Amino acid sequence: MAVLKGTKIYGIFKGVCPVCHEESMYLEKNPYKLSKVLKMHERCSNCNTKYKIEPSFFYGAMYVSYPVGIAFAVAAFVISFLFIGLDLLQSFFVITATMVVFMPVIMRISRNIWINFFMHYTPKEKRKHTIKA
């Protein structure tokens, strides 16, 4: 994954600061610790980027979570119905289980996509070395 460092894909799947790609945005790396699934650092300790740009900033991630969830559901359907050969009812249960099991991952990926819409990777040489208030 180090090859992708500096790309949006790296920032989205690793959950790191979208500006420097050095620090995790989340207090807890494991998304399955449900009490801390969405708890984030306020700022990046490396480049001082503020993650929550404005109040309620991450409400927009809800709009992103819908297509991300659909992608997971379609993948579960294709695997269960077309590859494994389950009937429609069994496939429905597989889709439901997939959505429940991957909900913390979907929530984090949606946040990562949302913040990467607004912030862009900047190499260390090009970053200003000032402290933002």
Side-chain angles (χ1 to χ4, degrees):
M1 195 91 167
V3 170
L4 297 174
K5 192 169 185 176
T7 65
K8 296 279 185 189
I9 299 292
Y10 183 85
I12 290 168
F13 286 109
K14 293 289 277 183
V16 294
C17 173
V19 175
C20 70
H21 287 185
E22 295 296 328
E23 177 189 84
S24 175
M25 292 189 298
Y26 300 97
L27 294 174
E28 177 61 51
K29 282 194 170 198
N30 183 356
Y32 290 99
K33 292 195 176 175
L34 298 179
S35 64
K36 298 179 181 180
V37 69
L38 296 178
K39 302 231 187 224
M40 300 177 70
H41 296 285
E42 179 143 344
R43 293 181 178 272
C44 176
S45 65
N46 187 49
C47 67
N48 206 33
T49 298
K50 185 175 181 182
Y51 298 131
K52 194 173 182 182
I53 298 170
E54 59 188 33
S56 306
F57 172 70
F58 285 107
Y59 283 165
M62 291 186 300
Y63 296 104
V64 176
S65 70
Y66 183 75
V68 171
I70 295 296
F72 274 77
V74 167
F77 174 76
V78 167
I79 291 168
S80 66
F81 187 74
L82 298 179
F83 293 147
I84 298 174
L86 301 178
D87 64 30
L88 285 176
L89 183 61
Q90 292 170 325
S91 295
F92 171 76
F93 290 124
V94 169
I95 292 168
T96 303
T98 299
M99 296 304 289
V100 169
V101 168
F102 285 104
M103 185 52 61
V105 174
I106 291 169
M107 290 179 353
R108 281 213 177 162
I109 288 175
S110 299
R111 275 190 170 210
N112 298 346
I113 291 171
W114 186 250
I115 198 166
N116 275 279
F117 277 146
F118 299 99
M119 295 183 187
H120 308 287
Y121 176 75
T122 307
K124 190 173 187 176
E125 309 83 52
K126 292 186 179 180
R127 269 184 257 138
K128 293 179 183 171
H129 295 286
T130 59
I131 296 177
K132 301 172 190 170

